[in-house]
């Protein structure tokens, strides 16, 4: 069985109404007269100003902690306090390999514990494979088009580069799938979606998959209508700022991802050489009696360095890179929601123009135009709320990630110095 999943940071059970506007401009007193943020920082300027408490409302001491570990412990404690207010817990564990005549695949155990009235039982345990998670995400996108759906880890791997049935790959995917479900569980709207409930409770998910194969989403039909003619005049400034920020964020994170992968590759190549280097001194010591003690000491020192470097590379591969990749995919998901919002706005503008041309015959605004306006406003509100949640999660995740990696590097150099 796989190891138990690590606790994940949560943004807490905030309602949509309690979430502040992520694009609200800060006052000049808050920002200070000498600060002029760049365009790509407009999005989270107000968030940074208020970064004195965790998403669950617990105040954060702004003084420097004694060590990065103490900050991580404090963050973990604050996250545990939030457990008391939750009513739905989902975990992904126990991956198993299934070998069939036509295919070989991995399933994961999805365990649900809840006190919500809409569930018939307090606990469920089902097995799901990757394509079931993919079905859930597609259904959430269809039924909740105004919300940001958390990303899944990529389905395909490059043949010959990664063995998708290796223990390391399966465990990395299990962690990503566990985080995917926890993101949905923490969302005040997505966690109540009927498809999510079916995914968590249904013994036979294939029956539900077949039912929905012939159905087209309303948003899909709307997209077809919009793309057939009218083009959006311009994005509102606040959402244009979101788009610019996501472009810059994706670019910078992609650069960090590529450099990190190159560093890991070079570390592993160095590790191969180091493992061959150490035994040479040990062999030499067997031939030189007078030098045997210092030569054996050098060999032991190199062995300790090998162990420390191997641990550091594993930490970067298993903990650092997956978070970078998740947020790159998250940014792409947010861009897709922005495009959907633009399409709804374009539809609304097109209908407004059509009404303007017939104003003499139809003095009142038609009901379908008013409904379209409601959709735009709903899209705007949901997108702003989800962007705020995303920023909260991102700030907490990266704080924990970077402080953790700093600790790992400190530990590495301490082991090397002792060696």
């Amino acid at each position: 069985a796989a190891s138990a999943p690590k606790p994940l940071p949560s943004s807490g059970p905030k309602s949509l109404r309690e979430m502040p506007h992520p694009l609200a401009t800060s006052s000049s007193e808050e920002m200070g007269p000498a600060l002029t943020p760049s365009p790509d920082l407009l999005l989270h300027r107000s968030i940074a100003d208020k970064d004195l408490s965790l998403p669950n409302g617990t105040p954060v001491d702004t003084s420097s902690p004694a060590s990065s570990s103490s900050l991580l412990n404090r963050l973990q404690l604050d996250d545990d306090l939030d457990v008391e207010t939750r009513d739905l817990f989902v975990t992904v564990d126990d991956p198993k390999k299934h070998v069939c005549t036509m295919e070989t695949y991995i399933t994961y155990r999805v365990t649900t514990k809840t006190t919500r009235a809409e569930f018939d039982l307090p606990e469920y345990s089902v097995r799901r494979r990757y394509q079931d998670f993919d079905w859930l995400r597609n259904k959430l996108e269809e039924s909740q088009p105004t919300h940001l759906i958390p990303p899944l880890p990529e389905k395909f791997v490059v043949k010959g580069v990664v063995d998708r049935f290796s223990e390391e790959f399966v465990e990395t995917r299990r962690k990503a799938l566990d985080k995917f479900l926890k993101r949905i569980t923490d969302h005040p709207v997505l966690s109540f979606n009927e498809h999510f409930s079916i995914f968590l409770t249904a013994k036979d998910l294939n029956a539900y998959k077949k039912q929905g194969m012939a159905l087209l989403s309303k948003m899909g039909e709307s997209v077809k209508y919009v793309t057939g003619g009218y083009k959006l005049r311009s994005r509102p400034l606040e959402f244009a700022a979101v788009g610019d920020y996501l472009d810059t964020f994706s670019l910078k994170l992609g650069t960090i991802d590529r450099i990190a992968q190159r560093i890991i590759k070079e570390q592993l190549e160095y590790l191969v050489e180091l493992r061959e280097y150490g035994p040479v001194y040990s062999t030499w010591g067997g031939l030189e009696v007078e030098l045997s003690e210092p030569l054996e000491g050098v060999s032991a020192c190199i062995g300790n360095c090998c162990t420390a470097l191997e641990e550091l590379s594993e930490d970067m591969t298993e903990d650092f890179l997956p978070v970078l990749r998740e947020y790159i995919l998250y940014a792409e998901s947010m861009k897709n929601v922005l495009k959907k919002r633009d399409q709804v706005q374009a539809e609304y503008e097109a209908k407004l123009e059509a009404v303007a041309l017939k104003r003499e015959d139809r003095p009142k605004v038609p009901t379908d135009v008013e409904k379209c306006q409601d959709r735009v406003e709903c899209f705007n509100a949901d997108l702003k709320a989800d962007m705020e949640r995303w920023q909260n999660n991102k700030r907490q995740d990266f704080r924990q990630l970077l402080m953790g990696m700093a600790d790992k590097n400190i530990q590495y150099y301490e082991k090397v110095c002792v060696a």
Side-chain angles (χ1 to χ4, degrees):
S3 59
K6 299 177 181 178
L8 296 170
S10 167
S11 58
K14 285 187 178 181
S15 67
L16 292 179
R17 293 182 179 178
E18 294 172 336
M19 298 177 189
H21 192 321
L23 304 176
T25 55
S26 302
S27 66
S28 58
E29 289 145 359
E30 288 174 327
M31 293 300 297
L35 294 178
T36 306
S38 58
D40 61 315
L41 297 179
L42 285 174
L43 172 64
H44 55 285
R45 180 174 61 180
S46 61
I47 296 175
D49 293 336
K50 300 175 184 177
D51 193 16
L52 299 177
S53 63
L54 294 177
N56 61 13
T58 306
V60 174
D61 184 9
T62 55
S63 60
S64 299
S67 68
S68 55
S69 297
S70 65
L71 174 58
L72 292 179
N73 292 336
R74 190 167 66 223
L75 288 172
Q76 187 60 59
L77 177 61
D78 292 330
D79 189 53
D80 292 339
L81 293 175
D82 187 49
V83 171
E84 299 178 1
T85 63
R86 300 183 192 174
D87 55 8
L88 182 63
F89 301 85
V90 181
T91 56
V92 178
D93 59 9
D94 190 26
K96 287 185 179 180
K97 185 177 181 179
H98 301 261
V99 181
C100 303
T101 306
M102 299 298 293
E103 62 176 337
T104 301
Y105 59 93
I106 303 291
T107 64
Y108 304 84
R109 180 175 62 190
V110 178
T111 304
T112 305
K113 295 182 180 181
T114 182
T115 56
R116 290 186 179 181
E118 58 266 26
F119 288 89
D120 296 329
L121 300 173
E123 185 171 345
Y124 297 87
S125 181
V126 295
R127 297 204 71 85
R128 298 286 184 252
R129 55 188 297 187
Y130 180 90
Q131 66 181 28
D132 298 329
F133 288 84
D134 192 44
W135 170 85
L136 170 62
R137 191 178 190 284
N138 289 334
K139 283 297 180 183
L140 290 175
E141 280 194 329
E142 290 179 3
S143 56
Q144 311 282 176
T146 63
H147 287 286
L148 172 62
I149 312 301
L152 278 172
E154 293 96 336
K155 180 177 182 179
F156 301 103
V157 295
V158 180
K159 188 176 182 181
V161 176
V162 179
D163 178 10
R164 66 189 183 95
F165 297 116
S166 67
E167 290 185 9
E168 295 80 6
F169 179 81
V170 171
E171 175 61 13
T172 299
R173 172 162 285 187
R174 182 202 65 77
K175 289 180 180 178
L177 295 176
D178 183 78
K179 182 176 285 189
F180 169 73
L181 292 187
K182 281 180 167 58
R183 300 285 197 202
I184 298 173
T185 301
D186 286 343
H187 197 283
V189 176
L190 299 181
S191 63
F192 288 93
N193 185 277
E194 60 176 337
H195 300 295
F196 186 46
S197 299
I198 291 171
F199 175 87
L200 297 178
T201 61
K203 289 296 182 182
D204 182 16
L205 197 60
N206 290 325
Y208 293 95
K209 288 183 178 180
K210 293 175 182 177
Q211 291 176 7
M213 288 180 65
L215 298 177
L216 290 176
S217 69
K218 294 182 179 179
M219 178 55 65
E221 295 172 355
S222 174
V223 169
K224 289 182 179 179
Y225 171 79
V226 174
T227 54
Y230 190 87
K231 185 178 180 180
L232 181 68
R233 289 198 194 104
S234 63
R235 244 182 212 166
L237 291 178
E238 55 186 357
F239 293 110
V242 172
D244 292 342
Y245 170 75
L246 292 173
D247 289 339
T248 304
F249 178 74
S250 299
L251 181 63
K252 292 180 178 179
L253 218 57
T255 302
I256 295 174
D257 181 54
R258 287 191 299 273
I259 295 174
Q261 291 191 49
R262 189 163 65 244
I263 290 174
I264 293 173
K265 181 175 179 292
E266 292 173 355
Q267 284 178 341
L268 295 177
E269 291 173 350
Y270 174 60
L271 188 59
V272 171
E273 299 291 338
L274 210 57
R275 283 172 175 161
E276 295 179 2
Y277 187 53
V280 173
Y281 286 94
S282 182
T283 306
W284 184 9
L287 301 175
E288 300 275 357
V289 179
E290 296 83 359
L291 298 175
S292 61
E293 185 175 347
L295 289 173
E296 286 293 342
V298 172
S299 178
C301 177
I302 294 174
N304 289 336
C305 291
C306 286
T307 303
L309 182 59
E310 184 177 15
E311 291 175 355
L312 181 64
S313 298
E314 287 179 356
D315 288 329
M316 287 192 68
T317 302
E318 297 174 7
D319 298 329
F320 189 74
L321 290 182
V323 175
L324 294 182
R325 193 61 202 157
E326 181 199 10
Y327 273 92
I328 291 173
L329 295 174
Y330 237 135
E332 293 303 314
S333 297
M334 180 63 79
K335 290 178 183 179
N336 290 333
V337 179
L338 269 176
K339 290 178 181 177
K340 292 178 183 178
R341 196 217 71 83
D342 291 347
Q343 290 162 351
V344 173
Q345 181 184 339
E347 180 182 0
Y348 172 58
E349 291 178 357
K351 289 185 177 182
L352 275 182
E353 287 194 0
V355 169
L357 293 175
K358 302 178 182 179
R359 184 171 295 174
E360 295 180 0
D361 300 330
R362 300 176 63 183
K364 293 185 178 180
V365 177
T367 305
D368 62 331
V369 177
E370 293 178 344
K371 288 182 179 179
C372 193
Q373 182 182 12
D374 291 341
R375 289 180 62 200
V376 173
E377 293 176 355
C378 178
F379 230 124
N380 292 347
D382 290 348
L383 184 54
K384 290 173 186 176
D386 280 1
M387 192 65 187
E388 173 68 9
R389 291 181 63 83
W390 182 73
Q391 287 285 8
N392 286 337
N393 284 332
K394 176 173 66 67
R395 188 167 59 250
Q396 190 166 336
D397 285 350
F398 275 95
R399 182 187 289 121
Q400 183 172 352
L401 177 71
L402 297 175
M403 295 297 284
M405 285 308 300
D407 267 352
K408 296 295 183 182
N409 278 273
I410 291 171
Q411 292 167 14
Y412 164 73
Y413 285 107
E414 286 176 344
K415 291 175 183 176
V416 170
C417 289
V418 171

